[in-house]
Amino acid sequence: MIVGKGNAETEAGVLPDPEYVEAMIEYSESLAKAGVLLAAEGLYPSSRGARVAYRGGRPTVLDGPFTESKELIAGFWIIQVRSREEAVEWALRLPVPPGCPDGVGLELWQVFDVADMPQETLPPETAAREQALRESLERGTGA
């Protein structure tokens, strides 16, 4: 997953200029044409979000905005590639936002899958349920 980090502008709800939007669409199209794009979305500012924090085993809802800017996310691409190196190559092709301040950038995260778990730690019925869920999502039928 390629994560676009947020900053003061994205948190203020400033929309990117049309030229940058066009470049981002072209980038996403190139991912799709290569057959590696699973999802791509921009996110609203954290003021429109919420966090669920657990204290003493109980959930507490905290309304945005969130002040810790290094934790903010402006958007993401989920890609399916063969290696970390390939993911980095794709991330390096992403257009740089105009006027991008130093230190703002991207993070790459590997998505964990039940298939990544050692078979002996997962009961067969649980693995089968997970596989059935994934297949139903691929067909667009839900669970």
Side-chain angles (χ1 to χ4, degrees):
M1 177 169 60
I2 301 170
V3 177
K5 300 300 287 181
N7 61 28
E9 284 190 1
T10 61
E11 275 299 286
V14 176
L15 297 175
D17 63 54
E19 295 82 22
Y20 184 65
V21 172
E22 176 66 27
M24 297 290 278
I25 291 171
E26 287 176 12
Y27 173 75
S28 293
E29 287 173 339
S30 71
L31 290 167
K33 286 177 187 169
V36 300
L37 182 64
L38 300 178
E41 303 294 342
L43 300 174
Y44 281 104
S46 68
S47 60
R48 295 183 68 171
R51 279 190 180 145
V52 177
Y54 296 96
R55 290 186 177 84
R58 306 186 100 182
T60 302
V61 177
L62 307 168
D63 293 329
F66 309 120
T67 57
E68 189 59 51
S69 63
K70 63 185 173 209
E71 295 178 3
L72 300 174
I73 298 172
F76 64 90
W77 293 260
I78 298 179
I79 59 175
Q80 188 168 32
V81 294
R82 293 179 296 278
S83 67
R84 177 185 182 273
E85 292 73 24
E86 185 180 357
V88 169
E89 287 175 20
W90 279 109
L92 290 173
R93 296 178 192 170
L94 222 151
V96 177
C100 182
D102 288 347
V104 171
L106 305 170
E107 291 180 356
L108 280 73
W109 291 66
Q110 186 173 358
V111 175
F112 183 81
D113 186 292
V114 166
D116 296 323
M117 293 183 69
Q119 287 185 338
E120 63 274 6
T121 63
L122 193 64
E125 58 276 2
T126 303
R129 286 176 50 216
E130 170 69 15
Q131 183 60 36
L133 174 61
R134 288 184 179 276
E135 290 171 1
S136 70
L137 292 171
E138 287 175 11
R139 290 190 308 270
T141 59

